[in-house]
Each structure stands twice: as C-alpha cells, then as structure tokens.
Amino acid sequence: NHHMCVIVAQTPSSGSLPQGFSGLTHLLHWPLTPGDGGDLLASTSPQTSTYHLRGPAQPSYTLGGYLEAILIARDHQGRPKAHGGDLFQAQLLGPDLKAGVPGDVTDLENGTYLLTLPLLWAGQAQVQVRLIHSSEAVGVLRGIWRDQWATVDFTGYFRGPTGYEETVTCNVNPLLIGEEEGTCHYRDEDSGELWFCARPPTLPCDSLVGHSSGRYWNVTTPHEEALLARNVTNKTLPQGIPPIWVAQENNRILSPPQPCHPGIPAPRPSGFYHQNVWHSLSCSGRSFSTADSILHCLAGHIVHMMGDSTLRQWWEYLRDTVPSLKPVDLHATYHTGPLMAVDTTRAIVLHWRAHSWPLRSLRTPVAALHSVVRELGGLAGGPHTVVVLSLGAHFTTFPLSIFVQRLAGVRAAVAALLAREPSTLVVIKLANTGYKSVYGSDWFTLQVNRLLRAAFVDLRVAFVDAWEMTSSLALPDSIHPGRCVIRNEVDFLLSHVCPT
C-alpha cells in the first residue's frame, strides 16, 4: 500500500520493511484464496470436513513415532475444496493423562492437508482437529490488513496550563485520523517510530498528556461477518480417528538432556503437556512448585518485563504465588504500569510495564508509556538482569509493517544490550492463541509470531512458545489463559534463570 510506504520510509531504513526484514516475506506465505463469490455455502465447513488415518490402524503405536492423517476440506454442501488456505489446528490429547501436544498441519494447497502428530507419551491418545477459520474467512482478514491500515483508533488527551482539556483521535498513520485541520506528529527519538494525533482545536501539540483506547471500527460487510461468525469459527471437526494406544517403554517420558540456556534452536513441536506439566523438547525444563523454590531461583535478580497483559499475568502469578514478593504502589494506571514487586531480604525486584503505543488501554499518562527501545537502552545488564519481552496482541489491528518497525527497533536494542553485557538473560514470549475476530485473530497472531521468531533467531535469547503452550490442552482458547498455563510459562522462564 503506497500510503503505508510513505510512513515507513520516514523511519531510519527505507522500503516498506526495515533492513534485514525484507527477506522475511517468505515466512508469511499463505495460499491465495479465491473466495466464495458471495455464496456462504461454498466456504469451508467444520461439519462436513473430514480426516482419516493415512495408513491402516495399528493395535498400538511406538513412543517417539508419529501418527499421520489426511484431512479433506469440504464446503457446507459436502463438496471437496479444490484449494487450500484454511486455518486448521490439530492436537493430540490424552485427557486421562492431562496430556496434549500440537500437531503439524501441512497445506497441500489442493483442499487436502497432511496432519503429523508426534507420539510423546505412553497410553491413550486422541486426535482433535479444529477449523479456526475457513480460507474464505482468512481472505477477509487478509483484505482488512491490506485495505484498512487499522481497525481501531485511540484517544489523545491534551491539557492546557489552566487544566482545561481537549480530546482528539490518535493513530499509527496520519491518514486514519480524518482531520483536515492538521496533525500532531510524535517521533520516538530512540526507535524512529511515529505516532499521530489530530491537532486539538486550541491547545498545542506538545500538551498531549493522556492516552487511551478509542473505538473499534466496523470494517466488515454482513457477508464477511457470516464467514467469521461463531458457528463456523474455532469449531471441532467430527471425530475422524478412534483413540489410539501408544505402547509403554520402561515408563519413560521423552525429555532432552541439556539444561536450558538462550540460543537453543526451537524444535517443532517445542514441547508437550503431561499431567498438566509442560515438557520442553529443547531443554530440560524444571518445575518450581513452591514459593521457596521460586525465591531461591530469583534471589539477587532484577526482572524487567515489558509487553502486554499476557506478560502482566506472569508478574501477577509471581506476586500471588510468593507471599514475600510485596507489590509496591507506584500510583500508576494498573493496566499499563509500571508495576513493581520486591523481596528486600532476597534482593528480588520484579518490574512490569506496557510496551507503549499502540496500546488499547484505560486512560494513562503519556509520560508513563516508555518505549521498549529506550528502556532497553537504559539497562546496564549483567548476570543479575533478566529481560522478558512480549509483543503481539496490540499489533494485530494494523498491517504488519507497523509491527515490523517495532520489531526492528527492539531487535537492535536487544543486540546492543547483549553486546555490552552478554551475561544478560533475554527471554521473548511469543503471542498466544486467543481472539478469533477481525481485531485480533489467531491467523494474525500466527504471522506476528513467525516474524517475532525470525527477528531474534540469530541472537542469544530464549523463547517461551506461548502459542503452543496455549493450544495444546483441551482448554478453551483465551487471550488470558488460566493459572495452569501461566504456571508452566513462568516455570520455563525460571528454568532459564536457574537451569540447574
């Protein structure tokens, strides 16, 4: 989109994607979907699509092997689809064992999909397949990213010397504000990112003091809404394969030998659940089941968490699980932070703050919205410093170029931090599954996560794959997952702070 390129070209690097990111477009390959020509019955249906074992059924399967299945996408009249592009999700579940693992779905781009499910625990296992979005619904989401530039706006609050206030619309792109009178430009000195507000009627641009969410825009036609409706979104397909049995092998659970450290390449899948405990397949994760074990691990550490509310849940989990970690009232807007909890006897400090614009939030002071790039630039780092970053949920309402700009700045700041103090632990939390709408959908999140991983893949950082950790159990998807998932995410973080 040529308008977006104008904006992006004002950043330090030219082109629509910052330097080093232009080669990433292949990561975002998704089959082009012809659409249903306005006929809802021609879109992919979760009721008529079927899957079956690729080979003959076996009385028992080998631990460490794979189960393969073929999925045939069909429309609402039962006709097989001739093209790919549907977003299916496959899981292998062991309900009695509280076990689960994500399967791999390969789009053969002809209406059929290959499902590959790793067999990682002994006992019973059951395949479950969900249609998250039909290819036609994905076409709608893709079109919104291409044509809309945004699906939400924000409110800026300006205050004069007498306390008089004026409120205006703000956004990531000046063309979205729709004001003829002119625009206020705000440029982040550290990252070069831009933010725009409509010019207030009388007050100057530099009197911007507050920020909050604005409106959710109506960007879909009734037909598009039908393609994204609940009755066809995130629906389980009829059972296609009876439960299988995985043979016992000396009661072992597959787990990797090496201790957790940053820079380990991610296997697929990155792990699995067994007895509600996440077993990483990249390194030997540890369980921190008591407040004392958490305190012992975090002693002497300062943890800086910067991101969204899915990361604030980690801060809240630690605050709620460890009685001696006392929250300090910093008189901030809770939803945006900064939040702080300390244990002075063990020299533990836990910080959390939101990642600045674009941020859907309650009204919060603009001065409290620190850019992640600036925060990272102000950290000395070292063996006592832990940095945890999460980016994603608030970027799904804009084209990817907005996210890529943020990513380029954060990546450079992380690289600089690790260059000056290589002993700093940097952990990247991927975005989790959750919303299924035009404002935030797993399809958007999938693209965001591919870029997030690629941006940091050559740096010594650790990843917490929240996408897999939130989509591997028979739990309903929630943008704010329950305590079981959060505990496993935090345990994996702590496994990197204290590998042995």
Side-chain angles (χ1 to χ4, degrees), residues 200-217:
T202 67
L203 293 173
C205 285
D206 63 7
S207 62
L208 176 66
V209 293
H211 166 85
S212 77
S213 305
R215 297 159 303 169
Y216 284 79
W217 297 353

mmCIF file of all heavy atoms in Angstrom, residues 200-217:
data_model
loop_
_atom_site.group_PDB
_atom_site.id
_atom_site.type_symbol
_atom_site.label_atom_id
_atom_site.label_comp_id
_atom_site.label_asym_id
_atom_site.label_seq_id
_atom_site.Cartn_x
_atom_site.Cartn_y
_atom_site.Cartn_z
ATOM 1 N N PRO A 200 -5.425 19.451 18.247
ATOM 2 C CA PRO A 200 -6.549 19.891 19.090
ATOM 3 C C PRO A 200 -7.020 21.288 18.658
ATOM 4 O O PRO A 200 -6.244 22.039 18.060
ATOM 5 C CB PRO A 200 -5.973 19.914 20.501
ATOM 6 C CG PRO A 200 -4.558 19.486 20.414
ATOM 7 C CD PRO A 200 -4.175 19.315 18.985
ATOM 8 N N PRO A 201 -8.291 21.627 18.950
ATOM 9 C CA PRO A 201 -8.842 22.912 18.491
ATOM 10 C C PRO A 201 -7.999 24.134 18.897
ATOM 11 O O PRO A 201 -7.762 25.011 18.077
ATOM 12 C CB PRO A 201 -10.218 22.954 19.151
ATOM 13 C CG PRO A 201 -10.576 21.527 19.415
ATOM 14 C CD PRO A 201 -9.293 20.792 19.633
ATOM 15 N N THR A 202 -7.537 24.175 20.168
ATOM 16 C CA THR A 202 -6.812 25.367 20.613
ATOM 17 C C THR A 202 -5.458 25.059 21.238
ATOM 18 O O THR A 202 -4.560 25.905 21.206
ATOM 19 C CB THR A 202 -7.638 26.162 21.658
ATOM 20 O OG1 THR A 202 -7.747 25.378 22.859
ATOM 21 C CG2 THR A 202 -9.026 26.503 21.122
ATOM 22 N N LEU A 203 -5.306 23.871 21.808
ATOM 23 C CA LEU A 203 -4.074 23.584 22.554
ATOM 24 C C LEU A 203 -2.945 23.159 21.613
ATOM 25 O O LEU A 203 -3.201 22.619 20.536
ATOM 26 C CB LEU A 203 -4.333 22.490 23.598
ATOM 27 C CG LEU A 203 -5.286 22.896 24.739
ATOM 28 C CD1 LEU A 203 -5.613 21.694 25.615
ATOM 29 C CD2 LEU A 203 -4.676 24.014 25.578
ATOM 30 N N PRO A 204 -1.672 23.357 22.012
ATOM 31 C CA PRO A 204 -0.548 22.972 21.153
ATOM 32 C C PRO A 204 -0.280 21.459 21.199
ATOM 33 O O PRO A 204 -0.692 20.779 22.143
ATOM 34 C CB PRO A 204 0.632 23.745 21.754
ATOM 35 C CG PRO A 204 0.278 23.926 23.191
ATOM 36 C CD PRO A 204 -1.216 24.068 23.233
ATOM 37 N N CYS A 205 0.424 20.970 20.179
ATOM 38 C CA CYS A 205 0.738 19.534 20.087
ATOM 39 C C CYS A 205 1.504 19.028 21.296
ATOM 40 O O CYS A 205 1.354 17.877 21.709
ATOM 41 C CB CYS A 205 1.551 19.262 18.818
ATOM 42 S SG CYS A 205 0.561 19.311 17.307
ATOM 43 N N ASP A 206 2.362 19.868 21.881
ATOM 44 C CA ASP A 206 3.210 19.382 22.982
ATOM 45 C C ASP A 206 2.477 19.334 24.318
ATOM 46 O O ASP A 206 3.093 19.104 25.357
ATOM 47 C CB ASP A 206 4.508 20.193 23.085
ATOM 48 C CG ASP A 206 4.258 21.656 23.421
ATOM 49 O OD1 ASP A 206 3.100 22.011 23.709
ATOM 50 O OD2 ASP A 206 5.233 22.434 23.401
ATOM 51 N N SER A 207 1.157 19.566 24.295
ATOM 52 C CA SER A 207 0.406 19.467 25.558
ATOM 53 C C SER A 207 -0.327 18.128 25.688
ATOM 54 O O SER A 207 -1.224 17.990 26.510
ATOM 55 C CB SER A 207 -0.587 20.630 25.671
ATOM 56 O OG SER A 207 -1.547 20.576 24.621
ATOM 57 N N LEU A 208 0.089 17.129 24.888
ATOM 58 C CA LEU A 208 -0.504 15.779 24.988
ATOM 59 C C LEU A 208 -0.070 15.140 26.306
ATOM 60 O O LEU A 208 1.118 14.954 26.552
ATOM 61 C CB LEU A 208 -0.025 14.915 23.808
ATOM 62 C CG LEU A 208 -0.452 13.450 23.788
ATOM 63 C CD1 LEU A 208 -1.958 13.320 23.618
ATOM 64 C CD2 LEU A 208 0.265 12.685 22.685
ATOM 65 N N VAL A 209 -1.042 14.829 27.163
ATOM 66 C CA VAL A 209 -0.695 14.256 28.470
ATOM 67 C C VAL A 209 -1.266 12.864 28.706
ATOM 68 O O VAL A 209 -0.744 12.108 29.521
ATOM 69 C CB VAL A 209 -1.165 15.165 29.639
ATOM 70 C CG1 VAL A 209 -0.385 16.472 29.645
ATOM 71 C CG2 VAL A 209 -2.675 15.414 29.565
ATOM 72 N N GLY A 210 -2.359 12.506 27.994
ATOM 73 C CA GLY A 210 -3.010 11.237 28.291
ATOM 74 C C GLY A 210 -3.290 10.419 27.043
ATOM 75 O O GLY A 210 -3.327 10.938 25.919
ATOM 76 N N HIS A 211 -3.483 9.101 27.235
ATOM 77 C CA HIS A 211 -3.715 8.171 26.117
ATOM 78 C C HIS A 211 -4.711 7.115 26.573
ATOM 79 O O HIS A 211 -4.674 6.666 27.720
ATOM 80 C CB HIS A 211 -2.401 7.486 25.724
ATOM 81 C CG HIS A 211 -2.592 6.288 24.840
ATOM 82 N ND1 HIS A 211 -2.713 6.390 23.476
ATOM 83 C CD2 HIS A 211 -2.707 4.956 25.131
ATOM 84 C CE1 HIS A 211 -2.891 5.168 22.957
ATOM 85 N NE2 HIS A 211 -2.882 4.291 23.941
ATOM 86 N N SER A 212 -5.608 6.715 25.675
ATOM 87 C CA SER A 212 -6.470 5.571 25.965
ATOM 88 C C SER A 212 -6.931 4.936 24.666
ATOM 89 O O SER A 212 -6.704 5.467 23.577
ATOM 90 C CB SER A 212 -7.707 5.994 26.789
ATOM 91 O OG SER A 212 -8.651 6.633 25.944
ATOM 92 N N SER A 213 -7.597 3.766 24.794
ATOM 93 C CA SER A 213 -8.254 3.145 23.646
ATOM 94 C C SER A 213 -9.272 4.118 23.077
ATOM 95 O O SER A 213 -9.818 4.956 23.808
ATOM 96 C CB SER A 213 -9.033 1.897 24.080
ATOM 97 O OG SER A 213 -8.204 1.005 24.754
ATOM 98 N N GLY A 214 -9.556 3.942 21.801
ATOM 99 C CA GLY A 214 -10.641 4.701 21.182
ATOM 100 C C GLY A 214 -11.747 3.756 20.784
ATOM 101 O O GLY A 214 -12.196 2.940 21.578
ATOM 102 N N ARG A 215 -12.134 3.822 19.512
ATOM 103 C CA ARG A 215 -13.236 2.997 19.024
ATOM 104 C C ARG A 215 -12.731 1.788 18.246
ATOM 105 O O ARG A 215 -11.650 1.822 17.679
ATOM 106 C CB ARG A 215 -14.121 3.829 18.087
ATOM 107 C CG ARG A 215 -14.804 5.024 18.757
ATOM 108 C CD ARG A 215 -15.217 6.040 17.698
ATOM 109 N NE ARG A 215 -14.032 6.460 16.929
ATOM 110 C CZ ARG A 215 -14.093 7.176 15.808
ATOM 111 N NH1 ARG A 215 -15.254 7.535 15.315
ATOM 112 N NH2 ARG A 215 -12.986 7.523 15.166
ATOM 113 N N TYR A 216 -13.548 0.744 18.244
ATOM 114 C CA TYR A 216 -13.359 -0.374 17.314
ATOM 115 C C TYR A 216 -14.167 -0.040 16.072
ATOM 116 O O TYR A 216 -15.358 0.237 16.173
ATOM 117 C CB TYR A 216 -13.860 -1.685 17.929
ATOM 118 C CG TYR A 216 -12.924 -2.258 18.965
ATOM 119 C CD1 TYR A 216 -12.878 -1.764 20.261
ATOM 120 C CD2 TYR A 216 -12.076 -3.309 18.640
ATOM 121 C CE1 TYR A 216 -12.009 -2.295 21.206
ATOM 122 C CE2 TYR A 216 -11.205 -3.851 19.578
ATOM 123 C CZ TYR A 216 -11.186 -3.333 20.848
ATOM 124 O OH TYR A 216 -10.322 -3.866 21.788
ATOM 125 N N TRP A 217 -13.540 -0.037 14.918
ATOM 126 C CA TRP A 217 -14.225 0.335 13.691
ATOM 127 C C TRP A 217 -15.029 -0.825 13.134
ATOM 128 O O TRP A 217 -14.650 -1.984 13.276
ATOM 129 C CB TRP A 217 -13.211 0.781 12.632
ATOM 130 C CG TRP A 217 -12.434 1.988 13.011
ATOM 131 C CD1 TRP A 217 -12.604 2.786 14.096
ATOM 132 C CD2 TRP A 217 -11.321 2.530 12.295
ATOM 133 N NE1 TRP A 217 -11.669 3.792 14.102
ATOM 134 C CE2 TRP A 217 -10.870 3.658 13.011
ATOM 135 C CE3 TRP A 217 -10.660 2.181 11.109
ATOM 136 C CZ2 TRP A 217 -9.798 4.437 12.577
ATOM 137 C CZ3 TRP A 217 -9.598 2.953 10.681
ATOM 138 C CH2 TRP A 217 -9.175 4.070 11.415
#
